[in-house]
Amino acid sequence: MVEILKSFEQVAIRFNPVVLILPGLAMAVLGLVLWLAGVCRKRLLLGLVGALVGGLAGFFAGGQHLAVTILAAAGVAALGAIVPRVFAAGMMAVLGAAIAFAVVARIHIFRQEGLLFSGDNLGPTTNRFTVQESLDAVQAYVLDVRDRIGAIAGKLVSIDLAIIAAVAAALLVVGLLFGRLAGALTCSTVGAGLLFAGLTLLLIFKGSAPVARMEQQGPFYGLVLLGMIAFGTLEQLLLCPQAKEGRDASSGRFRANREESKRGWRNR
């Protein structure tokens, strides 16, 4: 899996700048806001995340058709904006399953294998791709990653699949029961990931080879990412105001408990 990212880094320096700069800036800005203030505007920001995820999935899975992209982006954005609690819980479950998959399949992920798409036979390195050629190359890498994940999943034993399913189910239940915590954790995790990915794209455009550097210092960057997630979660729980419906429910329970205490005192 790592060799796919390294190959992408080598080929991406020939992409049209628009294909790297615009998505990189969009992901970095959205990731920064989501990382530090996602709970404050949860419906809006989760809707934007849904639009981004759904749009990218529809664009590459649907053969770069504009109508499919718009429908996918609108559908997932509506889900994130209308039912943010369910969307956040689902995102947390998906992220947890992805991390569990990376842990149980780490041997296969770091194994070197042949690539379906490579930049070795692309001709002179002085020629830049057009926008369409750049998008076609990105789609080829996306399909390569999808096929590699499917091949790795097929090699996992039943206990590994059970662990992944258990992690996803547990996080889904936790997310539905503890909505504010799940929202803060999900916003912080997705925001840190988007910020990380956006800066990586911008560094690739500058020719800084960030993927090769991260491979050499993987544990360090992993700790940095975990620290960002922890900081963003705590910062949002402490500084972002609780939603109005949550405050109303809490105050209602407090008034009910106080009235019950008064009645109990009078009956003594």
Side-chain angles (χ1 to χ4, degrees), residues 69-154:
T69 302
I70 294 175
L71 288 176
V76 183
L79 181 65
I82 295 173
V83 283
R85 187 181 188 124
V86 176
F87 184 80
M91 286 290 294
M92 192 165 72
V94 170
L95 292 172
I99 295 173
F101 175 81
V103 172
V104 300
R106 59 188 180 279
I107 297 177
H108 301 290
I109 290 176
F110 288 97
R111 179 177 297 167
Q112 300 291 323
E113 298 183 17
L115 301 178
L116 298 180
F117 180 84
S118 175
D120 296 338
N121 56 352
L122 293 177
T125 58
T126 55
N127 297 333
R128 275 199 178 273
F129 295 169
T130 64
V131 173
Q132 186 59 50
E133 289 173 340
S134 301
L135 293 176
D136 291 339
V138 173
Q139 184 177 24
Y141 277 110
V142 170
L143 295 176
D144 203 353
V145 170
R146 183 200 65 184
D147 293 341
R148 185 65 56 84
I149 291 175
I152 293 174

Side-chain angles (χ1 to χ4, degrees), residues 181-205:
L181 175 61
L185 182 59
T186 300
C187 289
S188 179
T189 304
V190 175
L194 286 175
L195 179 60
F196 213 72
L199 293 178
T200 300
L201 287 180
L202 295 177
L203 289 174
I204 289 176
F205 170 73

Side-chain angles (χ1 to χ4, degrees), residues 9 13 199-200 202-214:
E9 178 182 67
I13 59 176
L199 293 178
T200 300
L202 295 177
L203 289 174
I204 289 176
F205 170 73
K206 294 294 292 182
S208 301
V211 175
R213 295 175 184 271
M214 284 186 281

Side-chain angles (χ1 to χ4, degrees), residues 227-252:
M228 290 177 62
I229 293 172
F231 174 80
T233 302
L234 292 175
E235 183 268 342
Q236 292 185 61
L237 289 175
L238 293 174
L239 299 183
C240 290
Q242 191 174 358
K244 185 177 185 300
E245 56 268 21
R247 293 197 303 268
D248 292 343
S250 299
S251 61

